[in-house]
Amino acid sequence: MTTSLLNQLSQIVGQAFSNIGIESSFGKASPSQRRELGQFQCNGALAAAKQVGRNPREIAQEVVTELEKTGLFMELTLAGPGFINMRLNDDFLLGHISEMAEDTYFGCRGEHDSQKVILDYGGPNVAKAMHVGHLRATIIGESLRRLREFLGDDVISDVHFGDWGLPMGLLITEIEREQSDLPYFDANFTGPYPETSPVTVEQLQELYPAASARSKEDPAFLKSARIATFDLQKGREGYLALWKHMRDISIAETRTDFDLLGAQFTEWNGEADTNDHIPEMMARLKQEGYAQISEGAVVIDVAEADDKKKMPPLILEKSDGAVMYGTTDLATIEMRREQHDPDAILYVVDARQSLHFEQVFRAARKCRSIKAECHLEHIGFGTVNGKDGKPLKTRDGGVVRLRSLIEDAIEEARETVTESGMSERFDVTELDDIATKVGIAAIKYADLSNQRMSNYVFDLERFTKFEGRTGPYQMYAAVRIKSMLRKAKEQGLSEGRLQATHDTERNLILALAALPEAVQGAAEKNAPNILCDHVYSLSQEFNAFYHECQVLGETDAAIRASRLRLCAITLRQMEQVLYILGIDVPERM
């Protein structure tokens, strides 16, 4: 299996250190910070000098002497007190990239041990339209799913639908208030219940805010909603039938948003799926002494001796018998252990939920709800802000619907592609496809290119531009290569053995070779922004190559064939990284 270029180089330099009697770990190489000095650098001589009590520059010179014996370097120089600058010879560089290109995964799986991973993201709710708050969870979660699958992990993606608890009781009570003659509310009705929902998804989205507001003003209504919640969770058939209608139409609605964003889930489980497991779990936790009674509620003490701030207990059951989000989350962990036995469970949820997940994870460990070696992690993220720096809102101060956000992005993209003259070259159907892909790419790249814990300003006009660090810019670079390769095929030109005749070719090859480190870093840190940086760098290096080197117009057939091969490798890697980021590249633009 292909080893990354950087790892190979570190092994070579490490062996040189070992040859002069110094630990090989000091041979770690890194990309050069100053391209004019070399392609790579090693600063290990400075640290080694402290350990062995020698002059660092003398150590570096001895290492260089050893490296010269390998015949793998075009240039080796020293700088400062002992920095080693390296420039690889072309045979080594071309041999590596040729081998890397033969691997479907560009050598990225070589350093990765595959795992079974559950990714929990999306998190829509019954009766609530998905809003801007769901944008980051969906985009980041989907990118991490694709990244893990690319690395060879067995990935289970679960939307974890919000479909249980008091919100359901509020809806049932509100519907009964308006349509009390429906059979769902008749305790003596034996069925069958209607097959179609008595309310539409649009009505649900109006009913829930009304019910929520009423519960704050009318204690009797709130009490009725709590009773309805309890009865639902205890299996009252009419309430279950109505709940299923509400859940089904809500899922159908959210699927449209997820489809637009390219999010794919292997499981559509929700909080309600834990209902039958919770009594069994509660009985065990009480019997084994993990659950305690505190002020009438059932709780798990999750505080630890070395806590620097107070850690409240995880509440499992309120004094009125109602279960909490923490209860369903803990039960979900136990069910995931039983059904999948995962190596890791990752939750892509707003950073403001960090305390909740810390409580749940501690409880899961303490109560043996998950195997000890299973990794549990909350992958938090910041907020999407308006140009005023505050969380994005509509003009009247309301929550921005996700569907509206997507439609606005596509419309902005349509204006951008029209202004660029594309509307004159493509029919309506292809133009719509391009506008949709550009709009989605604009949203996704803008989101993922930010460090996920950072807040960012949502600016569609900037995001949809075909220049700078934008999704459309990356797409255009890939489409440019597609166009070139199509023309080459039409002219009967073919690819050939790689050569390096210009520094921009070498720089592009080095950018391609950096993918394994980018993929590894993105996976270890759950940070898609690292891949955004990689594909941007790749686009920059390709554009420099494109402007400096003739491809189709090159008269030397061997050089032309080499450059076509380099373009094809670049396109394949660009499309792969953009796919991981959730960005589809059109054939033409």
Side-chain angles (χ1 to χ4, degrees):
M1 190 170 287
T2 306
T3 303
S4 79
L5 180 60
L6 200 56
N7 281 348
Q8 287 185 54
L9 187 55
S10 293
Q11 290 169 13
I12 292 166
V13 182
Q15 184 60 52
F17 271 92
S18 182
N19 290 348
I20 65 171
I22 296 176
E23 290 180 19
S24 62
S25 59
F26 290 110
K28 184 176 177 59
S30 60
S32 177
Q33 300 300 308
R34 295 178 60 186
R35 184 173 286 178
E36 71 273 14
L37 297 180
Q39 297 163 338
F40 297 93
Q41 65 186 55
C42 174
N43 305 334
L46 281 74
K50 294 180 181 178
Q51 186 180 89
V52 300
R54 292 181 54 191
N55 182 289
R57 192 171 176 90
E58 290 179 1
I59 292 174
Q61 183 58 63
E62 290 183 25
V63 171
V64 166
T65 300
E66 291 295 317
L67 291 175
E68 288 173 340
K69 298 175 184 177
T70 66
L72 300 176
F73 297 90
M74 181 186 299
E75 184 180 30
L76 290 161
T77 60
L78 293 181
F83 302 119
I84 302 172
N85 296 306
M86 299 167 279
R87 196 178 300 276
L88 297 169
N89 68 34
D90 288 341
D91 287 344
F92 184 22
L93 191 58
L94 295 171
H96 173 77
I97 206 65
S98 296
E99 182 182 357
M100 184 182 184
E102 292 299 315
D103 181 358
T104 303
Y105 305 99
F106 295 100
C108 294
R109 290 189 174 185
E111 309 297 325
H112 184 74
D113 295 323
S114 61
Q115 299 178 307
K116 179 177 283 188
V117 178
I118 297 177
L119 266 165
D120 182 318
Y121 62 101
N125 299 292
V126 166
K128 296 181 184 178
M130 289 180 69
H131 54 77
V132 66
H134 294 104
L135 178 70
R136 302 206 73 185
T138 303
I139 291 176
I140 295 170
E142 177 61 20
S143 180
L144 294 178
R145 182 192 71 78
R146 296 182 183 209
L147 172 60
R148 290 286 183 165
E149 287 191 344
F150 176 71
L151 280 169
D153 287 339
D154 179 5
V155 184
I156 298 155
S157 52
D158 188 355
V159 73
H160 199 67
F161 214 70
D163 61 354
W164 212 231
L166 182 59
M168 301 302 100
L170 289 170
L171 280 166
I172 289 170
T173 307
E174 182 70 11
I175 293 172
E176 182 178 15
R177 196 183 71 83
E178 293 194 356
Q179 303 182 63
S180 59
D181 58 337
L182 291 174
Y184 309 98
F185 309 115
D186 183 354
N188 297 317
F189 186 77
T190 57
Y193 292 96
E195 293 184 4
T196 57
S197 174
V199 290
T200 64
V201 69
E202 290 79 16
Q203 288 172 323
L204 275 183
Q205 290 167 7
E206 294 176 358
L207 286 166
Y208 182 74
S212 179
R214 199 180 313 283
S215 69
K216 295 177 175 63
E217 301 168 357
D218 184 349
F221 179 84
L222 177 59
K223 182 178 179 180
S224 296
R226 292 191 187 282
I227 293 172
T229 304
F230 183 82
D231 289 346
L232 171 66
Q233 294 175 352
K234 294 304 178 184
R236 179 168 166 174
E237 290 188 4
Y239 288 180
L240 282 172
L242 180 56
W243 166 82
K244 189 175 186 305
H245 284 314
M246 295 191 292
R247 186 179 190 275
D248 288 348
I249 62 174
S250 295
I251 286 178
E253 175 72 4
T254 59
R255 281 185 188 275
T256 301
D257 292 327
F258 286 133
D259 286 346
L260 281 168
L261 292 175
Q264 301 171 28
F265 298 96
T266 58
E267 295 186 350
W268 282 76
N269 294 327
E271 295 164 342
D273 290 284
T274 65
N275 196 53
D276 293 340
H277 182 84
I278 286 175
E280 173 190 330
M281 180 185 77
M282 294 292 289
R284 179 181 75 84
L285 297 181
K286 291 174 182 177
Q287 181 181 355
E288 296 178 4
Y290 297 117
Q292 305 164 355
I293 303 298
S294 175
E295 299 180 8
V298 180
V299 305
I300 298 174
D301 181 10
V302 294
E304 296 175 357
D306 58 352
D307 285 339
K308 294 182 179 179
K309 58 182 179 180
K310 186 176 180 180
M311 175 63 65
L314 179 70
I315 301 175
L316 297 177
E317 189 176 279
K318 294 172 67 176
S319 57
D320 62 2
V323 298
M324 307 291 285
Y325 288 123
T327 323
T328 57
D329 282 345
L330 187 60
T332 298
I333 288 176
E334 291 198 352
M335 293 175 68
R336 286 171 172 167
R337 177 200 65 202
E338 294 171 1
Q339 295 167 7
H340 301 296
D341 190 27
D343 298 303
I345 309 177
L346 310 177
Y347 295 80
V348 185
V349 183
D350 191 320
R352 290 171 289 191
Q353 296 296 316
S354 60
L355 174 60
H356 169 78
F357 282 106
E358 179 66 20
Q359 291 174 297
V360 171
F361 294 166
R362 287 190 183 192
R365 299 282 184 214
K366 180 176 183 177
C367 303
R368 297 179 294 108
S369 295
I370 194 72
K371 64 182 181 183
E373 58 270 28
C374 180
H375 177 65
L376 299 173
E377 184 175 353
H378 169 215
I379 300 171
F381 51 82
T383 59
V384 181
N385 294 339
K387 292 182 180 180
D388 60 359
K390 299 177 181 178
L392 192 64
K393 300 284 187 181
T394 60
R395 290 181 178 178
D396 59 3
V399 176
V400 178
R401 286 190 60 175
L402 182 57
R403 184 82 53 82
S404 298
L405 201 71
I406 295 170
E407 290 171 351
D408 288 348
I410 294 172
E411 188 55 39
E412 185 74 29
R414 192 185 311 280
E415 291 183 16
T416 301
V417 299
T418 300
E419 290 171 1
S420 70
M422 291 184 200
S423 59
E424 300 170 6
R425 293 184 284 122
F426 305 124
D427 61 29
V428 174
T429 301
E430 189 169 7
L431 195 66
D432 284 345
D433 179 65
I434 292 170
T436 298
K437 287 176 177 174
V438 169
I440 298 298
I443 292 177
K444 288 187 174 183
Y445 191 87
D447 190 296
L448 296 174
S449 61
N450 289 279
Q451 200 279 338
R452 60 177 166 78
M453 289 300 290
S454 301
N455 304 333
Y456 73 92
V457 174
F458 195 83
D459 183 352
L460 275 181
E461 184 178 354
R462 178 168 61 85
F463 294 168
T464 53
K465 289 186 180 300
F466 285 94
E467 56 191 36
R469 288 181 179 267
T470 68
Y473 174 79
Q474 320 307 323
M475 291 173 67
Y476 188 71
V479 170
R480 174 181 279 175
I481 302 176
K482 285 189 176 188
S483 176
M484 185 190 306
L485 294 178
R486 268 198 309 273
K487 290 177 182 177
K489 186 176 180 180
E490 290 167 0
Q491 295 173 25
L493 304 177
S494 58
E495 301 170 17
R497 186 176 64 85
L498 287 173
Q499 299 182 33
T501 61
H502 197 282
D503 271 346
T504 57
E505 293 170 307
R506 298 182 182 94
N507 293 337
L508 179 54
I509 289 170
L510 290 169
L512 288 164
L515 180 63
E517 279 72 33
V519 166
Q520 182 181 5
E524 288 179 352
K525 299 176 182 178
N526 294 305
N529 63 291
I530 295 174
L531 291 177
C532 290
D533 291 343
H534 174 81
V535 77
Y536 177 71
S537 174
L538 196 56
S539 298
Q540 292 283 82
E541 296 297 354
F542 173 77
N543 285 334
F545 157 76
Y546 180 81
H547 289 297
E548 292 290 333
C549 298
Q550 291 283 339
V551 180
L552 299 180
E554 173 58 49
T555 56
D556 186 304
I559 294 175
R560 182 177 62 236
S562 166
R563 289 176 178 171
L564 284 172
R565 172 75 173 139
L566 184 56
C567 288
I569 295 170
T570 302
L571 174 62
R572 186 161 70 84
Q573 189 176 114
M574 271 187 181
E575 287 195 295
Q576 180 61 73
V577 177
L578 290 172
Y579 171 79
I580 293 172
L581 297 174
I583 294 173
D584 294 328
V585 179
E587 286 302 309
R588 304 189 299 169
M589 287 177 73

